[in-house]
Amino acid sequence: MSTTAKAPTRRKRMPRAERERQMIEVAEAVFAERGYTAASMDEIAERVGVSKPMLYEYFHSKEGLLLACIRQSRAALREVTEEAVAQAASAEDAMRRGLRAFFVFIREHREAWSLLRHEMALIGTSAADEIEATRQQQTDLISNLLGALVGESDPIRAEASAEFVVGACERLAIWCERHEDITPEIVTEYAMDLLWGGLAQRATKIDTARPEHHSPR
């Protein structure tokens, strides 16, 4: 009585985009744990479960993998910030929602935040430029918000205010690392207490300076 041997089961190939996301997620963790210089492509490949040549096929170099991590984080941060602000009912609500989105992102993406905040170790690499591009993205978003919702018509003043907000929030995020009990909601209110007062006064001045429009009789 003969038996037919079963063909070996082939492992289902993971779609390229999904595999790339997996590699980036693991790389973020390794970079955060070891630091960029000490992190090795061997360890990243082993954790992902792929060969090192495959890792190089996707990203070409360790720096290329780091750039991919930063770019993905930047895109994710932009998405959550824009979605939060889009649902706002007022300028103050928009600022509060935007700030909270940032602090929630930092809390939920610790590995990505670690890459961004340790930029001094990356000076001289393309990653430093990518980190600055992330900062510039947030500055542009806030500057546009000030123009659209607060009514700031002076682009230089709006840009200066946005730079101030971004810098302040970065320092608050670092401070939050030392205070695990401070939730995104709490630190958002701290930031609003300090930032919104000046912005609200500026909005009031702008409204006061606008000429009154009388309805024709």
Side-chain angles (χ1 to χ4, degrees), residues 96-111:
R96 178 175 282 106
R97 285 172 176 269
L99 291 174
R100 183 181 181 280
F102 171 75
F103 290 118
V104 168
F105 182 87
I106 295 305
R107 177 64 64 91
E108 294 180 351
H109 299 79
R110 293 177 186 269
E111 289 85 2

Side-chain angles (χ1 to χ4, degrees), residues 132 135-136 139 142 158-168:
E132 182 56 32
R135 186 177 290 115
Q136 188 61 53
T139 300
I142 295 171
E159 184 178 344
S161 299
E163 291 281 1
F164 181 84
V165 172
V166 169

Side-chain angles (χ1 to χ4, degrees), residues 3 38 56-57 64 69 73 110 141 143 147 155-156 164 168-169 188 211 213:
T3 58
Y56 278 99
E57 178 187 338
C69 292
S73 297
R110 293 177 186 269
L141 286 171
S143 182
I156 297 300
F164 181 84
C169 288
T188 295
H213 295 282

Side-chain angles (χ1 to χ4, degrees), residues 1 6 45 53 65 79-80 84 96 114 120 161 168 179 186 206:
M1 187 172 177
K6 291 184 179 181
L65 179 52
E79 182 178 355
V80 298
R96 178 175 282 106
S114 178
M120 291 303 294
S161 299
H179 299 274
I186 291 173
I206 291 171

